[in-house]
Amino acid sequence: MTAPAPAPAPALAPQRGAAPGADAPLPPPRLAYDAQTWKEIAHLLANLPLSLAGFVYVMTVTFTGAMLSLTVIGLPLLALGLMGARLLGRAERARARALLGVRIEEPSPLPLRRAGGLQGMWLVLKDPVGWRTILYDLIRLPWGILTFTVTLTSLFVLWPVLPFLARGLTNADRAMVRALLSPSDELERRIAELESDRGVVVDTAAADLRRIERDLHDGAQARLVNLAMGLGLAKEKLLEGQADDQVAAMVDEAHGEVKLALQELRDLARGIHPAVLTDRGLDAALSSVASRCTVPVKVTADLPSRPAAAIEGIAYFTVSELLQNISKHSGARQASVEVWRSDDRLLVQVWDDGHGGASLDAGSGMRGLAERLDAVDGLFVVDSPPGGPTTVTAELPWRDRTEQS
């Protein structure tokens, strides 16, 4: 007896309020064979050949790699097998998305380009995605035999109830795919964030080094060169027995250059890490930087203790950069800085009554601040409607200060 002709499939519209990436709702199984039922039947019939191929691949890779693990080629061969298992997992996820409506994100790729030969091989050998795919292919063979047999038999014997059987069997398939082929959401998110943050930290450090080199070259170094030349001329005039007043004028000029060079070196050291921040903490350091702002700034700090030195430094430079923006771009008449601790977070809020319009894409350095905070698991929020006022909130993780800090 042949099965009834397939009826038109109802539209699979996503539910209102469904989370991004959530599975599309499936139509309920019924006696009529709709499009989703035929997809589920096709999936169940394909289980046997695909699970057989996966089982043979896994047994060959794991057995060969285990037997040759004491030789030079054993571990590299096993690593290649795990990389191939990742490809099998990708194919299975694509099949589940197409036939079962299971929406599964792809795992993050392994960062092999940044790893050397042995380091890259070790990275592959401990890859949880590859090992979970191997486990998936190992346990799928008996399941593939069962689903193929039941589905093929039911097409001819139990076809009236096959839609219900297919739904039950494919629900088990969905559970296995989610359990073994889904990436660990939190782990994958953290890996992707750390990969991105590492690049931001490297770029920020390189930019800071270039800034320090430029400031030294254009400022203190140039003044010290002038000082050396002036003292050299004074020495020559003394050896030639020329008038003391000329030599005195040259020495006086050199003395002025020394004082200017020292001041520039102090400013440079303050820009790297101000002494007041190390000695007296964030409250005093923020009051110091606020006193140099062209706009009157009220500083309020409510901290029961000092955070870790790295967090303290990031908070200081964030406020310093924001106050510079207020001085240069805001047109404000007054501003305020508030710092406080909330549970395990350090919060910084900078407010001004300027004309507003600030954003992360406005080229005012705020994008760099956001990236720097993101690199330490922080947040950076700008609320600056046209016409003002502007409120910038920075949130950093609180870490207690240790003796080494």
Side-chain angles (χ1 to χ4, degrees):
M1 182 180 296
T2 59
L12 300 181
Q15 294 178 342
R16 179 176 297 179
D23 296 347
L26 299 173
R30 54 182 184 167
L31 293 177
Y33 281 39
D34 56 22
Q36 183 58 40
T37 299
W38 285 111
K39 288 182 179 180
E40 292 174 346
I41 291 172
H43 180 88
L44 295 171
L45 291 176
N47 273 348
L48 178 60
L50 293 178
S51 61
L52 181 61
F55 183 84
V56 171
Y57 174 84
V58 167
M59 290 302 296
T60 302
V61 167
T62 55
F63 181 77
T64 305
M67 292 295 293
L68 298 177
S69 60
L70 299 179
T71 67
V72 178
I73 64 172
L75 293 180
L77 183 62
L78 184 58
L80 289 175
L82 287 169
M83 294 176 67
R86 266 185 165 251
L87 298 178
L88 291 178
R90 181 184 300 176
E92 284 295 321
R93 283 187 291 272
R95 184 166 74 105
R97 282 192 293 267
L99 299 179
L100 301 183
V102 179
R103 300 180 182 178
I104 301 177
E105 299 296 330
E106 293 295 327
S108 300
L110 294 173
L112 298 179
R113 293 183 179 179
R114 299 177 181 174
L118 292 177
Q119 185 181 4
M121 184 179 70
W122 176 244
L123 198 63
V124 174
L125 288 175
K126 64 178 185 178
D127 175 29
V129 175
W131 285 111
R132 281 191 280 116
T133 305
I134 282 181
L135 177 60
Y136 176 85
D137 286 324
L138 278 177
I139 66 176
R140 289 285 291 180
L141 182 58
W143 177 251
I145 295 173
L146 174 65
T147 57
F148 179 85
T149 304
V150 171
T151 305
L152 188 62
T153 303
S154 299
L155 274 173
F156 298 96
V157 179
L158 300 174
W159 61 265
V161 295
L162 180 55
F164 302 92
L165 287 174
R167 178 59 54 85
L169 294 173
T170 52
N171 281 340
D173 267 311
R174 292 182 180 95
M176 280 189 280
V177 170
R178 291 191 187 99
L180 295 176
L181 298 185
S182 294
S184 173
D185 293 338
E186 182 63 21
L187 178 61
E188 290 293 326
R189 184 183 66 82
R190 291 298 299 155
I191 289 175
E193 286 182 357
L194 290 173
E195 285 292 322
S196 174
D197 293 345
R198 182 171 64 175
V200 171
V201 170
V202 171
D203 293 342
T204 301
D208 289 341
L209 288 176
R210 288 194 299 270
R211 177 182 60 81
I212 294 170
E213 181 183 9
R214 182 182 66 249
D215 291 344
L216 285 173
H217 182 271
D218 297 341
Q221 180 179 339
R223 294 197 179 278
L224 291 175
V225 169
N226 290 335
L227 171 63
M229 294 176 60
L231 291 177
L233 290 174
K235 179 181 177 181
E236 290 181 2
K237 290 186 179 296
L238 280 175
L239 293 176
E240 293 173 359
Q242 296 188 12
D244 292 342
D245 55 346
Q246 292 182 343
V247 176
M250 290 182 177
V251 172
D252 184 63
E253 183 180 353
H255 182 253
E257 291 288 337
V258 169
K259 291 193 293 184
L260 290 174
L262 287 174
Q263 183 60 42
E264 289 180 354
L265 287 174
R266 289 193 192 98
D267 293 339
L268 180 61
R270 186 182 296 114
I272 297 172
H273 196 84
V276 66
L277 179 62
T278 302
D279 298 337
R280 300 174 55 191
L282 196 56
D283 189 359
L286 294 181
S287 298
S288 175
V289 73
S291 66
R292 298 194 296 271
C293 184
T294 59
V295 176
V297 181
K298 178 183 177 181
V299 178
T300 304
D302 182 16
L303 298 176
S305 60
R306 295 181 62 178
I311 300 301
E312 199 173 55
I314 293 175
Y316 170 82
F317 286 111
T318 299
V319 173
S320 179
E321 180 72 21
L322 291 174
L323 291 182
Q324 288 185 28
N325 286 343
I326 291 174
S327 296
K328 296 177 182 178
H329 309 294
S330 71
R333 292 174 295 178
Q334 57 181 342
S336 66
V337 176
E338 296 184 45
V339 184
W340 71 98
R341 178 181 177 179
S342 176
D343 296 329
D344 59 346
R345 308 293 284 182
L346 174 66
L347 289 98
V348 178
Q349 191 170 85
V350 180
W351 172 90
D352 70 81
D353 62 352
H355 50 64
S359 70
L360 295 180
D361 301 321
S364 58
M366 289 192 179
R367 171 61 63 183
L369 290 176
E371 291 176 349
R372 178 172 290 193
L373 265 68
D374 186 61
V376 294
D377 214 10
L379 294 174
F380 189 79
V381 180
V382 179
D383 180 16
S384 182
T390 296
T391 303
V392 179
T393 304
E395 184 178 326
L396 291 162
W398 179 278
R399 292 202 295 270
D400 289 326
R401 194 175 187 89
T402 62
E403 294 296 331
Q404 289 76 14
S405 297

